[in-house]
Amino acid sequence: MSAAIEFSGVQKWFGPNHVLADIDLSIATGEVVVVIGPSGSGKSTLLRCINGLEAVQQGTVVVDGRRLTAQGGELAAIRREVGMVFQAFHLYPHKTALENITLAPITVKRIPREQAETEARALLERVGLPEKAGAYPAQLSGGQQQRVAIARALAMQPKVLLFDEPTSALDPEMIKEVLDVMKALAHTGITMIVVTHEMGFAREVGDRVVFMDGGRIVEQASPEVFFSAPSNPRAQLFLSKILRSEGALS
Amino acid sequence: MDWSVLGENAGLLAQGLLVTLEVSVSALILALALGVAVATLRVAPSQPLRAIAAAYVEFLRNIPLLVQLFFLFFALPSAGIRLPAFVCGVLALGVYTSAFVAEAIRSGISAVPRGQLEAGLSSGMRYATVMRTIVLPQAVAKTIPPLGNTALNLIKNSSLVSTISVLDILGTANLIGARSFQYVPMFVGAAICYLILTLPAAFAVNRLEKRYAR
Ligand SMILES: Nc1ncnc2c1ncn2[C@@H]1O[C@H](COP(=O)(O)OP(=O)(O)OP(=O)(O)O)[C@@H](O)[C@H]1O
Ligand SMILES: [Mg+2]
C-alpha cells in the first residue's frame, strides 16, 4: 500500500538555522502519528511543509501521490486534501460557526449553499456543538472554538488532518472535550499527524510516536515502546520532564 | 460688532458651504481611489512596486499641503499648465490625502493576523479568494476609524483652498469680513458652517466604528 505522506531527504533552513535536517518519514494511510519534542525542534515546520505553508528547500514531500517541491508542485490539489487545526484556532471572527465551516466547500468545491450548510450542521453535531451554528467565534469558549475549527477542517473531507498543538492554548477543563473529538476521529481511518504534549492521547490512540530534536527525527517507535523505554538519551530526558510536570498537574 | 451681517450674507455663506462640500467630496473620492491602489501596491509580492508605493506615501505626507497647493496653482502655470483654482484644490487635497488613505488601509491589512491567511490557504482556497473573503473584510473593519479621521481632516484641510481664491466657507467669510470689517461674526459663522459638516461626519464615523467592532 502506498504511503499517505512521504518525506524524502527534506532540508529546510531559516537563515542560518537548520530547522529540518535529513527528514525521511513515511506515514501510512489511516495512521495516527504523534510528533513530540522540545520547543524549537521543528515540529510545526514539519507539519507546515505537508500543506505548503512552508516550502522545503531540498528533498520532496509527497502527499497522496502528489509532489510538493521547492517550486510549489501540486500545492492547490494537496491543500484540498489536507486539513489543518492550529493552536490558536484561527476561526474567521467576522463569520458565524456555520459560515466558518461552509466557506471553503462553497468557494473551492462549488457545493450549493444549502447542501454545504446541511453538511456543516452534521459536522457541528459530530463535534458536539449542534446549537452553536449561529454563534460568532467571540461568543464561544476556547474549547468550543477549537471544535468548530476541527469541523471546519473536516468540511473539505480531507484524507489527512494536521494538528499543531491543538490543546496548548486551552484551559485544562476544556482540553478533554477537544481530545475526545480527536480520539473519535482517530478511529475513522483518517490519517492524522498530531503535534502535542498530551502524552495520554499519544498512548491511547497513537500508532507511532515521532520524537524530534534540533530539526531531526531522532527516535520513532510505537507508544508502548517509546514511553516505556526510549532509547535516545534526549528523548529520555524530555520524557522525564514531561511526565514529571504531568504528575504535578494530577 | 454687528451680527446682522451674518443674516444678510447667510446665502453667500451657504454657497461657500456647498463649495467646501464639493471640494471635499471630490477630493475624498480621488483620495480613496488612489489610496486603495497605492495600498495594494504596498503589500504586493514585487519589491520594486512596494518601494515605489512607499516612496509615494512618504513623499506626499511629509510635504505641507499648502506647499503642494501653491505648487499646482502658482508654479505649474510657469510650465504652461494652467488649471482652474477649484481643480488645483481638489487635486492637491486628493493626492495629499491619498497617502493617509493608503497608510490606513495598509495598516488595516497588516493588522489581520497571519493565521487568518494561513487558515484560509490551508482549507484549499486560492490567495485571491482568501484576501477577498477573509482578510480584506477584517482589514476594512480595522480601517474605518483611521479612514474616518482622515475624511474629517480632509474637510478641515479643505479650508486651505481659500488661499488660492476659491470661495469656500472660509474664503467667503474672509471676503465679507474684509468688506464689512465684521470679522468676528463672519468667522464665527464660518466655524458654525464647518461644524455643520464635521459633526455629522464624526457621528457617522463613531457609528461605523461600533458597527464594525467585532
Ligand atoms: N518564519 C520563521 N522565520 C524564522 N525562523 C523560524 C520561523 N518559523 C520557525 N522558525 C525557527 O525554526 C525553528 C523551528 O521552529 P518550529 O516552530 O518548527 O518549532 P516547534 O518544534 O514547533 O516549537 P514549539 O514547540 O515552540 O512550537 C525554531 O528555531 C524557530 O525559531
Ligand atoms: Mg510549534
Side-chain angles (χ1 to χ4, degrees), chain A residues 38-180:
Chain A
S39 180
S41 57
K43 308 181 296 291
S44 296
T45 308
L46 183 84
L47 274 197
R48 291 159 63 84
C49 283
I50 296 173
N51 67 350
L53 286 182
E54 300 289 353
V56 305
Q57 278 145 330
Q58 281 177 30
T60 55
V61 181
V62 177
V63 182
D64 197 38
R66 297 175 207 270
R67 270 164 66 91
L68 252 183
T69 59
Q71 286 74 41
E74 301 170 83
L75 188 55
I78 288 174
R79 282 186 178 154
R80 258 174 266 136
E81 292 179 7
V82 179
M84 187 158 194
V85 175
F86 302 86
Q87 179 174 351
F89 329 134
H90 298 327
L91 289 181
Y92 314 132
H94 59 305
K95 295 192 176 291
T96 63
L98 197 74
E99 291 165 345
N100 265 273
I101 300 169
T102 57
L103 183 63
I106 289 174
T107 57
V108 180
K109 287 192 169 172
R110 310 254 165 230
I111 290 177
R113 175 173 303 276
E114 272 186 24
Q115 183 192 340
E117 288 183 354
T118 308
E119 290 172 10
R121 284 181 202 282
L123 285 170
L124 279 174
E125 185 99 42
R126 194 160 150 198
V127 299
L129 294 169
E131 75 289 1
K132 295 296 185 188
Y136 284 91
Q139 298 166 324
L140 300 173
S141 74
Q144 291 171 335
Q145 288 188 55
Q146 193 61 300
R147 286 187 281 156
V148 172
I150 292 173
R152 177 177 68 178
L154 287 171
M156 289 293 283
Q157 299 176 319
K159 294 180 177 157
V160 177
L161 266 186
L162 310 175
F163 292 84
D164 193 356
E165 303 201 31
T167 58
S168 295
L170 298 177
D171 293 337
E173 69 270 22
M174 293 173 187
I175 291 177
K176 184 178 176 302
E177 65 190 45
V178 171
L179 288 179
D180 285 345

Side-chain angles (χ1 to χ4, degrees), chain B residues 28-47:
Chain B
L28 186 62
I29 291 169
L30 179 64
L32 287 175
L34 284 174
V36 169
V38 172
T40 316
L41 293 184
R42 287 215 70 181
V43 295
S46 149
Q47 163 62 30

Side-chain angles (χ1 to χ4, degrees), chain B residues 21-83:
Chain B
L21 197 61
E22 277 169 23
V23 171
S24 301
V25 170
S26 316
L28 186 62
I29 291 169
L30 179 64
L32 287 175
L34 284 174
V36 169
V38 172
T40 316
L41 293 184
R42 287 215 70 181
V43 295
S46 149
Q47 163 62 30
L49 284 183
R50 285 204 304 269
I52 291 171
Y56 176 96
V57 168
E58 291 312 329
F59 190 75
L60 285 171
R61 69 175 180 175
N62 288 306
I63 297 173
L65 173 55
L66 195 55
V67 173
Q68 300 184 33
L69 189 64
F70 280 8
F71 184 84
L72 291 184
F73 190 69
F74 295 118
L76 276 192
S78 60
I81 304 171
R82 221 168 280 278
L83 299 170

